[in-house]
């Protein structure tokens, strides 16, 4: 089944404790992206990657890191999480970019205490 | 100003009513793409439709239909005979190239639809 998977689905952590949210797609998509969703603010892009080893900042990259060492994986790293990073996070992928349909993972609910 | 405007923040209807969700966009690009996604209470984002700027034909998929009008820069979504399972937040999005010829995806803030039994 074609899908985007994210882990973990739910995470409660404390300020400053490094964490990684994994994202993997099995559709051989070149493009991958991370979003966060907050009430009243909609979906905001954190980082995106057009291909392996090619990543770029989105609209709200501060406090996040990403890497794209393999085509299928695009982990999101929070080196020192803070409470304002409490949010719902989505990973997405598409064949080649924004003109194509993006397929989303199930989301990761993160609470930073 | 919002480039993708979903003016209806919340809509509440009774089951079997028809409901239209509005999406108005703003772009100078000549080749752009429009999308609708559904986010049910469970939280996932489900793709509904993609439309390019050269295809103004309306689309129907079961109880769902989309009306694309370039003249008014609108891409409205209608649910006929709504059902409780249609309760969700619906997002409209626009893919366009910016002044630097970089393609971007711009999201509306969503319309929360509640279908009551």
């Amino acid at each position: 089944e074609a899908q985007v998977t994210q882990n973990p689905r739910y995470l409660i952590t404390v300020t400053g404790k490094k964490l990684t949210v994994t994202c993997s797609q099995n559709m051989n998509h070149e493009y991958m992206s991370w979003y966060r969703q907050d009430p009243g603010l909609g979906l905001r892009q954190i980082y995106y990657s057009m291909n392996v080893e090619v990543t770029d900042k989105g609209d709200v990259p501060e406090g996040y890191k990403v890497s794209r060492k393999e085509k299928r994986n695009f982990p999101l790293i929070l080196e020192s999480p803070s409470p304002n990073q409490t949010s719902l996070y989505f990973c997405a992928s598409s064949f080649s970019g924004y003109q194509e349909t993006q397929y989303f993972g199930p989301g990761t609910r993160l609470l930073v205490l | 100003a919002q480039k993708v405007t979903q003016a209806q923040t919340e809509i509440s209807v009774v089951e079997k009513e028809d409901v239209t969700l509005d999406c108005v966009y703003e772009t100078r690009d000549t080749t752009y793409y429009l999308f609708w996604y559904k986010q049910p209470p469970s939280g996932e984002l489900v793709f509904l439709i993609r439309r390019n700027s050269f295809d103004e034909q309306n689309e129907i998929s079961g109880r769902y239909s989309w009306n694309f009008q370039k003249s008014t820069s609108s891409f409205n979504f209608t649910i006929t005979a709504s059902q409780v399972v249609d309760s969700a937040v619906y997002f409209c999005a626009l893919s366009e190239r910016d002044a630097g010829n970089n393609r971007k995806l711009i999201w509306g803030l969503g319309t929360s639809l509640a279908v009551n039994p």
Side-chain angles (χ1 to χ4, degrees), chain A residues 9 35 37 40-43 48 57 88 90 97-106 109, chain B residues 33 35 37 39 41-47 49-50 89 91 95 103-105 107-109:
Chain A
R9 296 288 313 279
Y35 293 89
Q37 184 180 25
L41 297 177
L43 281 158
Y48 64 95
K57 295 176 181 178
L88 176 58
F90 287 102
Y98 297 111
Q99 70 276 15
E100 304 290 338
T101 300
Q102 291 195 72
Y103 295 94
F104 286 82
R109 291 192 181 273
Chain B
Y33 301 83
F35 302 85
Y37 284 83
Q39 186 175 37
S42 51
E44 71 271 24
L45 280 159
V46 179
F47 164 73
I49 190 169
R50 169 181 178 265
V89 180
F91 291 95
S95 170
R103 190 163 282 281
K104 300 287 185 186
L105 187 62
W107 293 83
L109 294 180

Side-chain angles (χ1 to χ4, degrees), chain A residues 72-92:
Chain A
R72 63 183 295 130
N73 296 324
F74 191 44
L76 178 70
I77 303 158
L78 284 72
E79 295 269 5
S80 183
S82 62
N84 65 13
Q85 292 178 298
T86 292
S87 187
L88 176 58
Y89 291 87
F90 287 102
C91 180

Side-chain angles (χ1 to χ4, degrees), chain A residues 29-43:
Chain A
H29 285 169
E30 291 188 350
Y31 171 88
M32 297 184 75
S33 178
W34 277 103
Y35 293 89
R36 60 178 289 174
Q37 184 180 25
D38 303 287
L41 297 177
L43 281 158

Side-chain angles (χ1 to χ4, degrees), chain B residues 4-66:
Chain B
V4 178
T5 302
Q6 296 182 253
Q8 306 142 310
T9 306
E10 294 181 359
I11 300 176
S12 182
V13 299
V14 177
E15 209 169 14
K16 296 184 184 171
E17 281 186 36
D18 298 348
V19 57
T20 295
L21 282 60
D22 298 332
C23 174
V24 174
Y25 60 92
E26 180 188 327
T27 183
R28 293 183 178 184
D29 200 355
T30 54
T31 304
Y32 55 90
Y33 301 83
L34 294 160
F35 302 85
W36 276 95
Y37 284 83
K38 173 182 179 180
Q39 186 175 37
S42 51
E44 71 271 24
L45 280 159
V46 179
F47 164 73
L48 294 178
I49 190 169
R50 169 181 178 265
R51 176 67 65 189
N52 74 55
S53 53
F54 298 108
D55 183 0
E56 288 194 70
Q57 279 200 335
N58 291 334
E59 175 100 5
I60 298 175
S61 176
R63 295 182 298 104
Y64 294 173
S65 62
W66 290 268

